[in-house]
Amino acid sequence: MASTTNKSTSSNNFSHLPKRPLGKVRTDNSLFWSEEYIEGDPIDLWGRVIADWDDCLKKRPKYIKKLVRYNIPQPLRCLLWQLLSGADKQRYLIEGYADLLKETSPHEKTIRRDIDRTYPDHPKFSSPNSPLQESMLNIMKAYSLYDKEVGYCQGNAFIAGLLLLEMPEEEAFAVFVQIMRKYNMRELCKPNMAELAVCMYQLECLIEELLPDLHVHFQAQGFRASVYASSWFLTLFASTVSPDLATRIMDFVLAEGLEFIFRLSLAILSVCNKDLLKLDIEGMIMHFQKELTKYDSITVQVLFDMAFTLKITPKKLKKLEKDYHTRKAKETGDVELMKVSLMKYK
Amino acid sequence: MDEVHTTKVVLLGRTGSGKTSLIVRYISSVFSENVKPTIGAAFSKKTVQLIHGEERKQVVLAIWDTAGDERYESMAPLYYRNSSAAIICFDLADRQSYNKVDFWVKELVEKVEQNCKLYICGTKTDLLAEYGGPLKRAVGPTEVMAYAKKLNAKFVETSSKSNYGIDDLFKLVAADFAGFTLCEAPPIEDSLRLQEPNQTDVNEKSSCCF
C-alpha cells in the first residue's frame, strides 16, 4: 500500500535529536507518560506496532503516542501518517481520486494562482512545472470537489505540500481528507471560519490562565490571537516554520490532534514571553515573523518538551468551547434585546 | 532632530492582487515571482524622510499586509482599525480583482474609518500590452480615475516587478499624512533614478513643495 519512493531525500533535521528514554524522565504525568519504558531502535519498536496496528491502536493508544514523541524514523513516516490519520482505512478515497480529477472545480483558478506561491523557497516546489506542484494542485482541486461546503481555503495547500514530501499523490489526498475530517480542520476552513474563532478564544483563555502577564500585555495592546495565530492553526504551522519542523509538528498533530497546536502555541509564547512583554503590536508581529522561521534544534526540543508538559486537556478545551458559545449566544441575545427596545422607542 | 510621526497604512484587495509583492519591493527592493499567500496578516515598517525648504519631517510607515482570501474578510477590521491610509490594490489585468475594490471602499466607509485616506492602486503594469506585457487592461484608466475622484481617493499604477511607481506611492502616502504636497510626479527617468536601492540606509529622501 504505502510506497516510500517519493519521500524527501534530505534527512529530517530534527531526527538526530537525542532519543531519550522518556518514560524514565517523566513518570509524574500519568496522562502522557505512564506507558512502559521506551528505549532502543525506533524502527524495531515501530515494526512491532505496525505489524499489529489495529490491536495496538485499540489497546495501547498511549504507547503509540509515546512512540511518536520518541521518534518517527523517516522511512516509516509515509506509512505512519496514513495509519495515524486512519487514511489506510479509507481506500475508497484513493480509488475515487482519479474520477474526482476528471471534474471541473469552480475554485481551480484561485487554486492555480496560489500553487506557485506555496513553499516558494523550497527547491522541490519552486521550479515551474515541478511534479509536486502539479500534485498539490490536483489534491486541492479534488478536495474542493469532494467537500463542496469547504471548497478551497487559502493555506490548505501548505498542508497538502507537506504530505507530498512524504508520500505519493493519492495517499496524500487520503491523509489530507482525514486531516480535514477527523481532526476538525474542515470546520476551521468553512467559509465563515466560525470554528477558527472558537480556537482563537480557547487560545486566549489558555494564555490568560498559563501566561497571565502576557495576557495583560496583549489586552493592553489590543493584540488578538487571530492576528498572529490564525496561520498557526490553518496551516498547522507549515506556512510559518521550516518544512523539517513542520513535518515533526505534523507527526504530533496526527497522533494527538489539534490539541497539539494549542500546546505548541502556548510553548512558543512562553519561550518568547519576556521579549514580547517589551514590544508593541507591530514589534510582536515582526518578532513572530522573524523568530519562528529560524528555530534551531535545541529551541525546538525545548518547545516540544514544554508543549507536552503544559496542562491542557481535552476536557479543558471542551469547557472553553462551551463558554465561547454561551458568551456568543448572550451577545447575540443582547443585540436582539437592543433591537427590540429600539423598536419600542420608535 | 526631525519631527517623527508614525502612521498606520493597511493594504487591502483581492487575493493575488499583489499586496505582499508591493510591500516586499518597497521594503526590501526585491521582486520575487511568487510570494507566499498571506494568512492572517503581516507587518513591516519603513521611514520616509520628507524635506520642504527648512522643514523636515520623518514619517514612519507602519504597513499592515492582509489576507486576500474572502474567508479572512471577517478579520480585516482588526487590521484596518485606526489606519490613516488604506491602499486598495487590484490587478490591472483582472476585472474580478477590480470589482473587489468597491467592496473594501464600502467596508471602510461603513465602519466609519473617516480619517482613513484612500489610495486605489492598479498593480502589475508590466503585464500589460502597452508596457510590452502579454495581457490586456481589464479596466480603463478613465473609469478608475472617475471612480477614485468620486471617493476623493488617489489612483496610482505600479509594477512590483519593474519597480514602477512603488516608492512614489508610499512617498505620497507619507506626504499626505504629514500635510506636505508632493510636486507633480517626476518624469519616469527621474523616478527610476530616485528608486535606486540604497544598500545601507532604508531612509529615503524626498523633496516636496506646497
Side-chain angles (χ1 to χ4, degrees):
Chain A
M1 171 195 63
S3 119
T4 51
T5 49
N6 202 11
K7 75 181 171 59
S8 171
T9 44
S10 65
S11 69
N12 190 310
N13 264 351
F14 302 109
S15 56
H16 66 278
L17 292 170
K19 295 168 187 64
R20 288 179 294 164
L22 296 171
K24 210 178 197 178
V25 178
R26 304 181 191 271
T27 48
D28 52 324
N29 188 336
S30 59
L31 184 65
F32 293 107
W33 310 101
S34 66
E35 285 280 336
E36 59 260 59
Y37 185 82
I38 294 181
E39 203 176 36
D41 182 356
I43 294 200
D44 291 346
L45 294 168
W46 275 116
R48 264 173 266 151
V49 172
I50 291 167
D52 200 12
W53 179 259
D54 288 336
D55 205 42
C56 238
L57 191 64
K58 213 177 287 165
K59 294 185 185 145
R60 302 164 74 197
K62 283 181 195 164
Y63 178 67
I64 291 178
K65 278 187 185 182
K66 220 170 105 178
L67 263 189
V68 173
R69 290 180 193 189
Y70 180 57
N71 188 271
I72 289 192
Q74 181 59 26
L76 293 182
R77 191 163 266 124
C78 165
L79 174 61
L80 280 171
W81 282 7
Q82 294 179 62
L83 292 173
L84 288 166
S85 66
D88 61 311
K89 300 275 189 310
Q90 317 287 333
R91 292 300 301 173
Y92 73 96
L93 288 172
I94 294 178
E95 282 150 18
Y97 183 66
D99 286 334
L100 277 173
L101 286 182
K102 286 182 199 145
E103 294 176 43
T104 341
S105 164
H107 301 280
E108 204 160 325
K109 202 178 150 196
T110 320
I111 297 171
R112 208 168 270 281
R113 182 165 33 209
D114 281 352
I115 291 303
D116 287 347
R117 40 201 207 116
T118 305
Y119 298 111
D121 309 320
H122 196 293
K124 288 205 166 192
F125 290 100
S126 56
S127 59
N129 308 320
S130 94
L132 284 193
Q133 267 199 3
E134 201 55 31
S135 298
M136 196 151 65
L137 173 80
N138 288 342
I139 292 178
M140 289 296 94
K141 181 189 152 182
Y143 188 78
S144 73
L145 289 159
Y146 173 80
D147 183 349
K148 295 199 167 80
E149 193 183 355
V150 168
Y152 167 69
C153 174
Q154 207 167 47
N156 282 170
F158 282 95
I159 296 174
L162 204 60
L163 301 177
L164 282 167
L165 288 173
E166 304 296 336
M167 60 185 77
E169 191 178 315
E170 288 82 357
E171 278 78 5
F173 173 69
V175 175
F176 182 79
V177 172
Q178 284 300 91
I179 291 172
M180 294 299 274
R181 283 196 306 208
K182 188 177 146 200
Y183 297 84
N184 215 28
M185 280 296 285
R186 72 178 295 275
E187 295 302 319
L188 271 70
C189 294
K190 277 184 186 172
N192 64 5
M193 290 192 155
E195 196 64 25
L196 180 66
V198 179
C199 289
M200 295 299 110
Y201 175 81
Q202 290 166 313
L203 181 61
E204 286 179 349
C205 291
L206 290 170
I207 296 169
E208 182 174 11
E209 186 194 319
L210 300 168
L211 303 165
D213 291 354
L214 195 62
H215 172 74
V216 171
H217 180 59
F218 282 179
Q219 287 281 310
Q221 293 283 330
F223 194 45
R224 302 300 305 269
S226 53
V227 174
Y228 60 89
S230 296
S231 64
W232 299 357
F233 281 78
L234 288 168
T235 70
L236 306 175
F237 282 98
S239 67
T240 33
V241 301
S242 71
D244 280 342
L245 178 51
T247 301
R248 195 65 183 128
I249 293 171
M250 182 63 81
D251 290 346
F252 295 134
V253 170
L254 293 178
E256 325 237 349
L258 273 193
E259 188 188 306
F260 181 72
I261 300 295
F262 283 104
R263 293 182 170 279
L264 186 60
S265 303
L266 262 302
I268 287 172
L269 292 171
S270 175
V271 164
C272 58
N273 190 358
K274 279 200 181 121
D275 296 323
L276 295 175
L277 287 173
K278 286 180 244 160
L279 298 167
D280 62 3
I281 288 196
E282 281 92 6
M284 289 192 279
I285 275 280
M286 284 170 105
H287 187 84
F288 289 134
Q289 281 166 202
K290 212 171 64 201
E291 294 300 315
L292 262 64
T293 49
K294 55 173 201 195
Y295 280 144
D296 55 27
S297 55
I298 296 166
T299 319
V300 167
Q301 194 59 57
V302 170
L303 284 172
F304 285 160
D305 280 357
M306 187 182 287
F308 286 126
T309 44
L310 288 167
K311 286 201 181 75
I312 300 172
T313 59
K315 199 176 146 198
K316 191 187 275 177
L317 289 171
K318 201 81 208 153
K319 187 195 161 289
L320 292 174
E321 186 184 345
K322 229 176 110 188
D323 287 357
Y324 173 85
H325 290 298
T326 318
R327 274 175 174 238
K328 196 83 190 163
K330 195 169 169 289
E331 274 170 28
T332 343
D334 287 349
V335 172
E336 290 304 316
L337 273 176
M338 217 153 72
K339 275 186 195 158
V340 171
S341 55
L342 280 171
M343 296 266 280
K344 275 183 192 163
Y345 187 74
K346 271 184 181 168
Chain B
M1 187 68 195
D2 299 354
E3 271 184 76
V4 181
H5 304 269
T6 301
T7 178
K8 181 173 169 183
V9 184
V10 65
L11 273 85
L12 299 163
R14 192 168 193 266
T15 177
S17 59
K19 302 176 287 296
T20 307
S21 291
L22 189 78
I23 295 173
V24 170
R25 167 59 95 176
Y26 180 58
I27 302 285
S28 319
S29 305
V30 291
F31 174 74
S32 132
E33 285 289 344
N34 300 310
V35 293
K36 280 189 203 177
T38 310
I39 293 159
F43 174 81
S44 34
K45 61 177 158 188
K46 185 159 171 171
T47 306
V48 180
Q49 235 172 63
L50 299 166
I51 306 163
H52 171 249
E54 294 298 298
E55 199 177 358
R56 294 159 69 91
K57 278 185 187 175
Q58 276 193 24
V59 177
V60 180
L61 297 176
I63 306 166
W64 282 84
D65 189 10
T66 62
D69 189 338
E70 294 188 352
R71 270 164 230 250
Y72 303 105
E73 275 163 14
S74 61
M75 290 181 216
L78 287 170
Y79 311 124
Y80 64 63
R81 213 184 41 190
N82 302 325
S83 294
S84 52
I87 300 173
I88 304 173
C89 296
F90 73 97
D91 180 341
L92 284 162
D94 179 2
R95 182 79 211 186
Q96 272 183 312
S97 178
Y98 178 66
N99 293 344
K100 195 75 198 174
V101 172
D102 196 49
F103 168 87
W104 286 114
V105 169
K106 290 209 172 87
E107 168 96 9
L108 290 170
V109 173
E110 200 175 286
K111 297 278 155 60
V112 212
E113 297 285 327
Q114 304 121 320
N115 299 321
C116 184
K117 285 204 176 69
L118 298 181
Y119 301 82
I120 293 168
C121 176
T123 59
K124 312 188 191 179
T125 55
D126 57 279
L127 289 180
L128 299 177
E130 64 210 74
Y131 293 91
L135 300 175
K136 266 204 282 211
R137 239 177 223 278
V139 46
T142 39
E143 183 186 342
V144 192
M145 272 191 268
Y147 175 73
K149 201 173 170 195
K150 203 176 74 189
L151 297 167
N152 202 17
K154 286 178 182 164
F155 171 48
V156 291
E157 291 190 346
T158 59
S159 162
S160 301
K161 189 172 186 174
S162 66
N163 195 13
Y164 169 71
I166 310 268
D167 282 7
D168 291 342
L169 165 63
F170 284 100
K171 245 178 251 167
L172 180 67
V173 171
D176 283 350
F177 174 74
F180 282 30
T181 311
L182 282 180
C183 299
E184 271 180 45
I188 286 176
E189 295 79 10
D190 279 355
S191 64
L192 281 177
R193 191 171 47 77
L194 269 171
Q195 285 154 358
E196 269 167 15
N198 192 331
Q199 297 293 317
T200 50
D201 187 8
V202 293
N203 292 356
E204 51 180 356
K205 291 184 169 50
S206 152
S207 58
C208 301
C209 58
F210 285 105

